[in-house]
Amino acid sequence: MAGINNTAEITVTRKILNGKPDKVILKEIEDERIDMVIMGKCGYGAITDCLLGSVSQRVLYGAKCSVLIVE
């Protein structure tokens, strides 16, 4: 999160929450009425490198907002 500053157009909130990552993220999306989630994908090895991590995939398909997954 270093280097990310709030601007007039974008509000950034930093939180540390406990629980299953996908469930916590999806709950935050609904509770906070989040417009967009940006998250990384996880890949280990040559085969799984082309696939989304399970948390990223569950958030992508479960979120009621835009999800941007970066490598």
Side-chain angles (χ1 to χ4, degrees):
M1 297 294 294
I4 297 176
N5 298 313
N6 290 346
T7 67
E9 297 99 23
I10 300 170
T11 301
V12 177
T13 304
R14 297 165 183 94
K15 291 185 180 183
I16 298 174
L17 303 169
N18 293 314
K20 252 188 114 177
D22 57 316
K23 292 185 186 287
V24 171
I25 293 167
L26 290 170
K27 184 173 183 329
E28 276 297 294
I29 290 169
E30 291 213 16
D31 291 351
E32 298 292 329
R33 299 173 65 187
I34 291 171
D35 297 322
M36 182 176 200
V37 174
I38 302 172
M39 59 190 308
K41 78 174 188 81
C42 184
Y44 301 101
I47 295 172
T48 57
D49 193 40
C50 65
L51 303 174
L52 292 177
S54 58
V55 172
S56 299
Q57 189 171 28
R58 286 192 291 265
V59 171
L60 177 65
Y61 292 110
K64 295 178 181 171
C65 68
S66 298
V67 178
L68 174 63
I69 298 177
V70 295
E71 194 167 336

